[in-house]
Amino acid sequence: MPTGTEKKSLGIMAIAGLAPYQEKPGEEYMGPAQLEHFKKILGAWRSQLRQEVDKTMNHMQDEAANFPDPVDRAAQEEEFSLELRARDRERKLIKKIEKTLQLIEDDDFGFCKECGIEIGIRRLEARPTADLCIDCKTLAEIKEKQLAG
Ligand SMILES: [Zn+2]
């Protein structure tokens, strides 16, 4: 069963068809070249998610009329509701990607929103929508567990 975390199917870098960013010596963090790199990653990721959403919608429209039997229909509705929930997660993710693209536009991308330090290129390549550094993220997860516990 899916957990609360975003599912890791294909790596984002593989989807985007990009190699890990090679920094030049002394290169400024989140200079134009790096921002461009992440813009490409986020753009590719978003189109892949959009395709997923469209595919499911088409699939459901094709199948919707095919089951006159109520039992089959019930099973189908169950399947649809699972798919819709997955699509709902993808739509939320698309929104998050768009917010992150906006951060790039505003030249505000790549820094922790809690403490302001650099999130880091490698971490962002693994999770381009990350808006916390690893320390703040760990802290947030501990707090979350305590609240849930
Ligand atoms: Zn931080």
Side-chain angles (χ1 to χ4, degrees):
M1 286 309 275
T3 60
T5 51
E6 290 153 17
K7 67 170 178 178
K8 263 211 160 98
S9 43
L10 248 182
I12 294 154
M13 298 295 288
I15 291 169
L18 289 168
Y21 189 86
Q22 297 295 324
E23 294 163 84
K24 295 180 192 74
E27 186 179 329
E28 184 202 354
Y29 180 71
M30 291 305 148
Q34 291 181 23
L35 289 178
E36 191 56 35
H37 176 71
F38 284 103
K39 218 160 130 176
K40 276 189 202 147
I41 296 173
L42 287 157
W45 192 14
R46 180 177 58 181
S47 7
Q48 196 252 359
L49 287 168
R50 276 185 178 155
Q51 275 172 23
E52 288 292 314
V53 173
D54 287 350
K55 222 161 56 188
T56 314
M57 288 311 165
N58 292 335
H59 167 78
M60 293 201 320
Q61 276 158 9
D62 290 346
E63 296 233 319
N66 290 347
F67 294 106
D69 183 321
V71 177
D72 289 344
R73 281 197 77 84
Q76 191 198 28
E77 270 156 28
E78 168 93 32
E79 184 201 315
F80 279 7
S81 87
L82 284 177
E83 288 198 14
L84 283 174
R85 241 176 295 164
R87 294 302 83 90
D88 194 48
R89 275 200 301 274
E90 275 158 10
R91 280 208 197 85
K92 284 195 185 119
L93 196 49
I94 289 173
K95 276 207 192 105
K96 205 167 172 196
I97 291 170
E98 271 160 4
K99 253 169 74 184
T100 309
L101 280 165
Q102 188 56 48
L103 285 181
I104 292 181
E105 290 302 317
D106 299 344
D107 208 0
D108 211 6
F109 172 77
F111 297 89
C112 175
K113 69 171 182 186
E114 284 294 329
C115 70
I117 70 161
E118 299 174 1
I119 293 174
I121 293 179
R122 294 289 94 89
R123 173 162 161 74
L124 285 165
E125 282 181 337
R127 190 174 279 268
T129 53
D131 52 11
L132 293 173
C133 71
I134 194 74
D135 290 343
C136 292
K137 177 71 182 170
T138 307
L139 211 63
E141 273 168 6
I142 292 170
K143 276 186 196 153
E144 209 172 289
K145 271 196 202 114
Q146 282 170 345
L147 284 176

